[in-house]
Amino acid sequence: MLGLNTRDASLFVIVVILALTAPFLLNPFPAESSLAQFNAGYPDLMQRFAIYGIFAIGFNILFGLTGYLSFGHAAFLGVGSYAAVWMFKLLNYNILPAVILSVIVGGLFALLIGYISLRRSGIYFSILTLAFAQMSFALAYSVLTPITNGETGLQVYTDDPQYLQSADAPSIPHLFGVTMRSTQDIDFGAWSFSFNAGYYVCAVMMIVMFYLSIRIFRSPFGMMLRAIKTNQTRMNYTGLNPRPYTLAAFVISGMYAGLAGGLLAAMDPLAGAERMQWTASGEVVLMTILGGAGTLLGPVLGAGFIKYFENIFSKINENVLHQWFAFLPDGLEDFLVTILYPFVGKGWHLTLGLLFMLVVIFLPGGLMEGGQRIGRIFRKREKKPEVRAKDPEHHPKPSPHVA
Amino acid sequence: MGILEVTNVNKRFGGLQALSNVNLDIPAGTVHAIIGPNGAGKSTLLNCLVGKLIPDTGTVMFDGQSVLGRKPYEINQMGISRVFQTPEIFGDLSVMENMLIPCFAKRDGVFRMHSIESIANEHEIVERAEHMLEEVNMADKKDMIASSMSRGDKRRLEMAMCLVQEPKLLLLDEPTAGMARADTNNTIGLLKEIHEKRDITMVIIEHDMHVVFSLAKRITVLAQGSPLVEDLPENIKGHPKVKEAYLGEAA
Ligand SMILES: Nc1ncnc2c1ncn2[C@@H]1O[C@H](COP(=O)(O)OP(=O)(O)OP(=O)(O)O)[C@@H](O)[C@H]1O
Ligand SMILES: [Mg+2]
């Protein structure tokens, strides 16, 4: 199907179904219940899942395949946002030209930074990308104020030209008249689901980008990128120049980042320099590693995981904790709240950090490896019926694992 | 005029004269062996041929063109492939993928951006790779991860990767080191067959005299960076200078 083999095709179909039904899946708890705060199915957050999913999928094409660890990808996200807002200011609020320009600008910027940074590999490459991104951040904050509007951030003002804005078109971001903000709320018994135009734009983009990344992974080009990660010496002595391959991967991932930045601006027509900061670059590294670098689905999972933590875990404050443990005797309640409090609310970073450490130590392949291991345990159970049960006295040695 | 001409090549590493005044003229279609004690400069000489090192003086001409100053991948595209002393393969990739990469490099050159096509649709290339794997008796290992194989298998894979490119000149740096006797004999058979069928020029560095004498048409003996003698195999066997070079090392 679609030029994919059966395994990839089924993975793709699953992702499509998950993405399209996310408004249901992410709101499993009735709207009025005390668990409703764990619902993630509100437009703003769902958009972020999809957008950062795109960002991480693109990052994975560089890091997962070639092993070149960029610490500056937020720069491309940032320029993508700026490009989109400029299109809003100059043309109109239609997001299509804005997003197209974001991709182009992201790619060009990546070409420039990649061309220089890829002269080095390993830690030096990482440092170079980090330096470029921090430089872009600093410039956006200060010198480039005429383009970026400095600390205030770039936004659309009523006296902006908007040459193509017609009188009847909406004056917020839209796609051919459908505004990104328009949301249809559907109540279903005690449950409530929101269907948001912006989310579906992002979700469709993510699906397309996911499909593209599968094709890249399975292409000769993708194989070359993995070969670069493994042995550049052999690559050279096989008549292949690794540099254009890594540069192409860098530019592709820059375009993904540019697209993500453009979509962020399309959902909320603002662009600020902080989007380029090193913490933002670090975040996409975390997403990819947490989910599983080099796997197809991992980065999307990682992005979802981190954004969920950032938005849901961070909202659990002391009062909420007290509510949860209200059924316990007072002393015990206070004790539990005191213990748990540092891990939730503003302390969500602590939980995420611990989780990240656990994953890196015990599951170097990320959440995807975790999933595979669980899958393997189940498969083994099916294959091996209990031998010992027949013979309780005599314990045979477990047979050695045959890989 | 030979396909490979090395004239007056010198290479120093700090105070060590690794190569001094090396001259070689290897005619097309022959198998030439370079032997010599450890540290004689054999690998260094190969490094100068493939662009890994640049000689301090001298020229290296391949097929009428100088290779000096060219990048390793350019030299490979000219038609020189090399098997390394320690196998250089794509360890994380499957054996089949290891074979596919040189096939693509042969067809598409130094860089080509086919990022959307599926490998499975490149029938011609897949067939070529499979055929070569059969030739080296590795067809059953094609889905194995390359790094999980034995050292001998890695060597055979590397050789197959070089051969599938159909180079004009194949450089082999101790192709049978670390192989069991049976594997060594297989390799000799394979190289003989390849040489007869495809008419590839080969330069072999080898410590195993059994291999050298079964394959080589001519032999150069290198000692302390300079060529001692160059002659037919039968004349090398009892040559006093050669004995001296090897015994001198032992003493
Ligand atoms: N890159 C280098 N830098 C410094 N010295 C080197 C370098 N490469 C080789 N040498 C030295 O040059 C000499 C020749 O080394 P070379 O590897 O060419 O020997 P060889 O004939 O291949 O030996 P062997 O049979 O052990 O492979 C050795 O003394 C080695 O230590
Ligand atoms: Mg050597």
Side-chain angles (χ1 to χ4, degrees):
Chain A
M1 192 192 81
L2 292 168
L4 304 180
N5 65 30
T6 13
R7 262 189 72 198
D8 293 340
S10 43
L11 180 67
F12 179 63
V13 169
I14 291 171
V15 167
V16 171
I17 293 173
L18 289 181
L20 295 182
T21 58
F24 290 112
L25 299 174
L26 293 175
N27 265 2
F29 306 113
E32 297 302 324
S33 70
S34 62
L35 288 172
Q37 58 187 310
F38 286 108
N39 281 341
Y42 57 94
D44 195 43
L45 183 55
M46 286 194 297
Q47 288 165 4
R48 265 155 214 278
F49 283 151
I51 292 172
Y52 282 92
I54 293 173
F55 190 20
I57 292 171
F59 185 77
N60 189 43
I61 290 176
L62 178 71
F63 175 57
L65 289 179
T66 69
Y68 278 76
L69 177 56
S70 160
F71 266 116
H73 256 53
F76 312 128
L77 188 86
V79 294
S81 287
Y82 282 125
V85 176
W86 268 109
M87 288 307 257
F88 294 148
K89 286 164 87 76
L90 292 176
L91 302 181
N92 61 14
Y93 268 120
N94 193 335
I95 64 166
L96 193 64
V99 165
I100 291 173
L101 188 73
S102 308
V103 175
I104 295 172
V105 170
L108 286 177
F109 202 51
L111 185 66
L112 176 75
I113 293 186
Y115 184 77
I116 301 168
S117 305
L118 285 166
R119 293 178 173 270
R120 291 279 168 274
S121 58
I123 187 75
Y124 300 101
F125 167 80
S126 303
I127 299 287
L128 277 171
T129 51
L130 176 64
F132 272 114
Q134 279 302 89
M135 214 156 72
S136 313
F137 164 69
L139 287 178
Y141 238 116
S142 56
V143 186
L144 294 178
T145 303
I147 303 175
T148 61
N149 209 16
E151 282 177 51
T152 328
L154 194 64
Q155 43 188 301
V156 186
Y157 297 109
T158 39
D159 58 349
D160 280 328
Q162 298 204 297
Y163 295 112
L164 298 182
Q165 181 77 353
S166 52
D168 54 339
S171 60
I172 47 172
H174 65 88
L175 186 63
F176 302 112
V178 183
T179 63
M180 292 300 105
R181 235 184 255 166
S182 57
T183 304
Q184 188 79 41
D185 282 321
I186 295 178
D187 289 327
F188 205 82
W191 284 267
S192 164
F193 306 106
S194 325
F195 295 87
N196 167 255
Y199 167 68
Y200 276 99
V201 167
C202 297
V204 168
M205 285 317 269
M206 192 199 76
I207 289 169
V208 173
M209 291 300 126
F210 183 69
Y211 173 73
L212 257 173
S213 98
I214 301 181
R215 294 298 297 259
I216 291 175
F217 265 62
R218 300 293 178 242
S219 71
F221 173 72
M223 185 174 67
M224 296 299 176
L225 297 183
R226 282 185 295 131
I228 287 171
K229 185 178 183 176
T230 308
N231 190 340
Q232 292 214 21
T233 307
R234 183 30 87 193
M235 192 88 181
N236 271 305
Y237 291 100
T238 307
L240 294 161
N241 185 358
R243 188 82 60 77
Y245 283 101
T246 45
L247 185 58
F250 196 87
V251 171
I252 291 173
S253 73
M255 289 165 86
Y256 269 77
L259 173 65
L263 286 173
L264 276 180
M267 298 305 118
D268 184 11
L270 275 176
E274 70 289 340
R275 244 170 229 175
M276 298 179 147
Q277 216 171 358
W278 66 273
T279 45
S281 297
E283 198 180 52
V284 74
V285 178
L286 293 191
M287 287 172 180
T288 310
I289 293 178
L290 188 67
T295 62
L296 286 165
L297 195 56
V300 187
L301 283 183
F305 222 81
I306 289 187
K307 284 296 153 191
Y308 187 83
F309 261 77
E310 185 185 290
N311 290 279
I312 304 293
F313 245 68
S314 63
K315 271 192 280 175
I316 304 172
N317 54 25
E318 218 166 339
N319 290 338
V320 178
L321 283 180
H322 275 293
Q323 258 176 36
W324 286 358
F325 299 114
F327 64 93
L328 293 170
D330 269 355
L332 196 58
E333 176 186 332
D334 289 341
F335 177 70
L336 272 178
V337 171
T338 319
I339 290 202
L340 287 179
Y341 183 65
F343 293 94
V344 295
K346 289 197 177 110
W348 69 274
H349 276 118
L350 178 61
T351 316
L352 187 65
L354 288 174
L355 193 82
F356 186 74
M357 270 163 49
L358 290 177
V359 165
V360 170
I361 294 170
F362 295 107
L363 295 173
L367 296 173
M368 288 301 287
E369 187 182 332
Q372 277 163 3
R373 280 199 200 170
I374 293 171
R376 231 175 289 150
I377 291 171
F378 276 106
R379 249 173 284 144
K380 246 182 220 159
R381 282 221 184 121
E382 277 166 26
K383 271 188 205 156
K384 277 192 202 162
E386 281 288 323
V387 189
R388 261 184 230 173
K390 283 183 197 161
D391 188 0
E393 304 289 324
H394 194 93
H395 295 289
K397 273 188 187 167
S399 58
H401 294 279
V402 182
Chain B
M1 222 181 74
I3 190 168
L4 180 72
E5 288 177 80
V6 178
T7 20
N8 285 326
V9 162
N10 284 280
K11 182 76 197 172
R12 277 187 92 84
F13 295 118
L16 179 87
Q17 186 80 29
L19 293 176
S20 55
N21 274 329
V22 177
N23 287 288
L24 273 180
D25 188 345
I26 296 174
T30 185
V31 181
H32 195 106
I34 298 175
I35 60 172
N38 288 111
K42 304 180 296 291
S43 299
T44 306
L45 179 60
L46 283 204
N47 287 340
C48 289
L49 305 183
V50 296
K52 192 174 182 187
L53 290 175
I54 299 174
D56 300 332
T57 62
T59 58
V60 179
M61 301 289 284
F62 172 70
D63 223 5
Q65 284 177 298
S66 172
V67 305
L68 299 184
R70 288 180 204 255
K71 299 259 164 52
Y73 58 84
E74 291 168 330
I75 294 174
N76 177 277
Q77 290 283 352
M78 288 167 76
I80 303 184
S81 286
R82 173 176 182 183
V83 174
F84 283 80
Q85 196 164 353
T86 40
E88 292 277 2
I89 51 174
F90 301 112
D92 293 348
L93 271 52
S94 74
V95 169
M96 185 61 186
E97 285 171 324
N98 268 275
M99 290 305 296
L100 288 170
I101 287 172
C103 293
F104 278 113
K106 170 90 180 158
R107 191 192 69 183
D108 300 335
V110 173
F111 171 71
R112 187 178 143 195
M113 179 86 194
H114 29 17
S115 52
I116 300 297
E117 294 93 328
S118 166
I119 294 174
N121 293 340
E122 306 271 8
H123 302 290
E124 208 178 306
I125 283 199
V126 172
E127 233 165 70
R128 247 175 95 112
E130 274 172 350
H131 187 76
M132 191 70 229
L133 278 180
E134 267 160 35
E135 236 176 305
V136 294
N137 282 327
M138 290 182 80
D140 53 327
K141 301 200 167 80
K142 89 180 194 183
D143 293 324
M144 270 176 92
I145 297 298
S147 63
S148 68
M149 296 193 303
S150 71
R151 184 131 182 231
D153 280 347
K154 284 181 189 166
R155 265 181 197 297
R156 262 198 300 167
L157 173 62
E158 193 186 16
M159 212 177 307
M161 288 164 72
C162 288
L163 288 172
V164 82
Q165 287 197 302
E166 298 185 351
K168 292 179 201 155
L169 174 63
L170 179 62
L171 307 173
L172 300 134
D173 200 343
E174 306 197 20
T176 63
M179 273 192 191
R181 195 81 232 174
D183 275 340
T184 304
N185 286 335
N186 281 341
T187 307
I188 294 174
L190 173 72
L191 288 174
K192 260 192 178 147
E193 199 183 300
I194 296 285
H195 178 247
E196 278 157 21
K197 230 195 290 183
R198 308 229 172 106
D199 200 37
I200 298 176
T201 315
M202 297 188 192
V203 174
I204 300 187
I205 291 176
E206 196 43 90
H207 281 296
D208 187 336
M209 289 306 141
H210 171 57
V211 179
V212 173
F213 289 114
S214 338
L215 287 168
K217 303 275 172 355
R218 272 187 95 75
I219 298 175
T220 299
V221 184
L222 210 62
Q224 290 167 4
S226 52
L228 276 186
V229 254
E230 190 193 315
D231 214 330
L232 299 171
E234 50 269 33
N235 300 340
I236 294 286
K237 261 181 196 162
H239 204 291
K241 270 193 180 174
V242 178
K243 277 187 182 156
E244 194 188 303
Y246 275 91
L247 288 175
E249 189 213 20

